């Protein structure tokens, strides 16, 4: 009898496995390949037209956006952990909660276009082509980091990505300069220039608006409004919180920055505006950061835990995309869990590399001051110490 039951269990398991395989094959074939979604209407300033409110998402795009956003989220949570273990030191500004902004923007432009941002830059370094391993190793100051361990959290660069910039608002005029280069070289490219609500009151931003409008530069100014500049709410810092209207003579859009599809459509609209020679456009993405301003800010002295929890439960960008895909039969729960497992493994492997890779030697300290010059001597901390710089 025991043998019979064992055989039966074995046969049943094989049968179930066979059924599961058939089911899996059938389910994959039965997935909806694309679906239409109604998205939130953008508020507009000095525009006759507006981004579409009915958009199409393909299954392939949905899975891609989901994977990228999950990777960004997990990477930031791992950075939080390593910071608390004192393995990452110094400034560290995390992007979790704002993933839909970066992924939506990248989906609306090309990799040949240009992008510059402030110091909350890990996510953009990844979407612009950096690897998780290179980003994590840069955070821990190791030789395999994307800036060879010399830049840290705020100074990461890839092709057509001009960083992380540590000075508040300073990246905005630089971005206009990149846009001027695009126009001067007559390439049909544009520059996305990002800053936060805290930087939005900076004088240099308004000077840049003026130049960009005069010269009709192909630049998309994007204010990532995450509601708090350091520890100050936007209402306490700005006489007008309509950041999308701040360009005055520059047209603007206010967008739901927690919805990847809203951001994507608005970015496509803005990119078409720039490429058609109409000059700059301004976008305000209404978003939210789950962490404090930086790792030295617990983030709960100027807002309540309940507020953070409410945003997480009602407007989380990853959950919103996941719910859309599941409710429209564009993916299965198992498939998304599989992506989660793969992402966690990638992050763990990267963290392992970032904690074991050697730090750069002292001899590398002055290298790369110039990009293409013969070796030169650099004065050390006193006139008698000589260091060498190699391009």
């Amino acid at each position: 009898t025991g043998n019979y039951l064992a055989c039966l269990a074995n046969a049943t398991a094989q049968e179930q496995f066979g059924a599961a395989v058939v089911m899996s094959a059938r389910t994959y074939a039965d997935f909806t390949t694309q679906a239409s979604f109604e998205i939130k209407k953008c508020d507009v300033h000095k525009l006759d037209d507006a981004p579409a409110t009915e958009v199409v998402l393909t299954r392939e795009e949905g899975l891609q956006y989901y994977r990228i956003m999950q990777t960004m989220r997990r990477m930031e949570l791992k950075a939080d952990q390593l910071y608390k273990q004192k393995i990452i030191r110094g400034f560290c500004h995390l992007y979790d909660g704002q993933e839909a902004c970066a992924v939506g923007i990248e989906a609306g432009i090309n990799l040949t276009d240009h992008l510059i941002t402030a110091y909350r830059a890990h996510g953009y370094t990844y979407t612009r082509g950096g690897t998780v391993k290179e980003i994590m190793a840069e955070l821990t100051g190791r030789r395999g980091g994307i800036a060879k361990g010399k830049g840290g959290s705020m100074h990461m660069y890839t092709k057509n990505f001009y960083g992380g910039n540590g000075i508040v608002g300073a990246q905005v005029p630089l971005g206009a300069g990149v846009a001027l280069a695009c126009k001067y070289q007559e390439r049909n490219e544009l520059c996305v220039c990002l800053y936060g609500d805290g930087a939005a009151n900076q004088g240099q931003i308004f000077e840049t608006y003026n130049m960009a409008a005069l010269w009709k530069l192909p630049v998309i100014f994007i204010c990532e409004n995450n509601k708090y500049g350091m520890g100050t709410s936007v209402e306490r810092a700005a006489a007008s919180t309509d950041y999308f209207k701040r360009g005055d003579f520059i047209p603007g859009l206010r967008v739901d920055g927690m919805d990847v599809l809203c951001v994507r459509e608005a970015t496509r609209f803005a990119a078409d505006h720039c490429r058609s020679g109409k000059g700059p456009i301004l976008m305000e993405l209404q978003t939210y950061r789950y962490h404090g301003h930086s790792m030295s800010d617990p983030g709960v002295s100027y807002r309540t835990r309940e507020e953070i929890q409410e945003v997480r439960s009602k407007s989380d960008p990853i959950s919103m995309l996941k719910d859309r895909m599941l409710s429209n039969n564009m993916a299965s729960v198992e498939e998304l869990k599989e992506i989660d497992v793969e992402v966690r493994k990638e992050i763990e492997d990267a963290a392992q590399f970032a904690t074991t890779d050697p730090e750069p030697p002292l001899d590398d300290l002055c290298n790369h001051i110039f990009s293409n010059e013969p070796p030169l001597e650099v004065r050390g901390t006193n006139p008698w110490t000589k260091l060498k710089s190699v391009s």
Side-chain angles (χ1 to χ4, degrees), residues 65-374:
Y65 301 163
Y66 181 81
R67 182 183 289 273
I68 297 169
M69 289 202 284
Q70 272 293 21
T71 304
M72 288 161 77
R73 174 73 55 91
R74 292 275 149 211
M75 181 169 72
E76 297 297 56
L77 294 178
K78 178 53 76 175
D80 169 272
Q81 193 184 334
L82 294 175
Y83 198 95
K84 285 168 178 165
Q85 292 170 1
K86 293 189 163 67
I87 294 167
I88 294 172
R89 310 301 294 260
F91 290 105
C92 187
H93 306 81
L94 302 182
Y95 199 68
D96 51 322
Q98 298 183 211
E99 297 88 353
C101 297
V103 177
I105 289 166
E106 291 289 7
I109 59 170
N110 309 318
L111 271 175
T112 50
D113 290 318
H114 308 262
L115 193 142
I116 188 166
T117 188
Y119 37 74
R120 207 176 296 280
H122 311 158
Y124 288 103
T125 309
Y126 180 65
T127 60
R128 288 267 103 189
T131 65
V132 177
K133 197 182 259 191
E134 288 173 324
I135 295 164
M136 294 303 292
E138 191 56 44
L139 289 171
T140 56
R142 305 305 170 107
R143 202 157 56 186
I146 200 156
K148 304 191 187 319
K150 297 179 184 182
S153 169
M154 301 194 288
H155 303 289
M156 301 186 189
Y157 311 89
T158 63
K159 187 171 171 57
N160 299 335
F161 174 56
Y162 306 87
N165 291 268
I167 306 298
V168 175
Q171 71 280 7
V172 180
L174 296 180
V178 174
L180 176 61
C182 293
K183 185 168 183 172
Y184 186 78
Q185 292 170 347
E186 294 183 342
R187 296 200 301 249
N188 193 23
E189 294 166 3
L190 56 86
C191 182
V192 170
C193 189
L194 294 128
Y195 56 96
D197 51 276
N201 301 315
Q202 285 256 332
Q204 58 186 331
I205 291 179
F206 293 91
E207 291 179 45
T208 307
Y209 289 165
N210 188 53
M211 280 195 284
L214 279 172
W215 298 341
K216 284 195 160 40
L217 299 183
V219 56
I220 306 174
F221 294 112
I222 300 184
C223 176
E224 288 184 293
N225 175 7
N226 61 20
K227 312 284 191 288
Y228 299 92
M230 294 190 77
T232 311
S233 69
V234 291
E235 291 79 15
R236 290 177 57 220
S240 165
T241 56
D242 288 338
Y243 295 105
F244 73 113
K245 293 180 180 176
R246 289 283 197 93
D248 184 19
F249 37 77
I250 295 174
L253 297 164
R254 180 158 57 196
V255 186
D256 180 358
M258 300 302 268
D259 182 348
V260 69
L261 298 184
C262 281
V263 179
R264 183 187 73 177
E265 288 313 304
T267 307
R268 282 177 179 168
F269 178 90
D272 289 345
H273 177 96
C274 284
R275 292 193 216 280
S276 63
K278 292 177 186 168
I281 189 166
L282 209 158
M283 277 166 62
E284 175 191 342
L285 304 182
Q286 293 189 309
T287 184
Y288 199 83
R289 56 170 164 79
Y290 294 155
H291 266 87
H293 170 73
S294 69
M295 283 302 295
S296 58
D297 165 26
V300 288
S301 58
Y302 48 85
R303 57 182 186 176
T304 62
R305 289 183 195 277
E306 290 72 35
E307 178 185 308
I308 303 165
Q309 200 45 51
E310 189 179 0
V311 177
R312 273 185 189 276
S313 60
K314 291 183 179 172
S315 316
D316 183 77
I318 298 174
S319 302
M320 276 168 74
L321 177 65
K322 183 180 180 178
D323 292 347
R324 270 184 179 144
M325 292 190 73
L326 293 176
S327 59
N328 285 272
N329 191 34
M330 296 178 84
S332 66
V333 174
E334 295 73 31
E335 189 178 14
L336 296 179
K337 274 185 182 163
E338 214 171 281
I339 291 174
D340 296 348
V341 170
E342 288 167 13
V343 165
R344 283 183 188 195
K345 186 182 184 318
E346 186 184 3
I347 303 299
E348 285 307 323
D349 291 349
Q352 180 64 29
F353 173 75
T355 49
T356 54
D357 192 47
E359 291 182 357
L362 194 59
D363 293 351
D364 284 2
L365 181 65
C366 297
N367 288 351
H368 312 112
I369 291 174
F370 296 107
S371 68
N372 192 17
E373 292 280 328

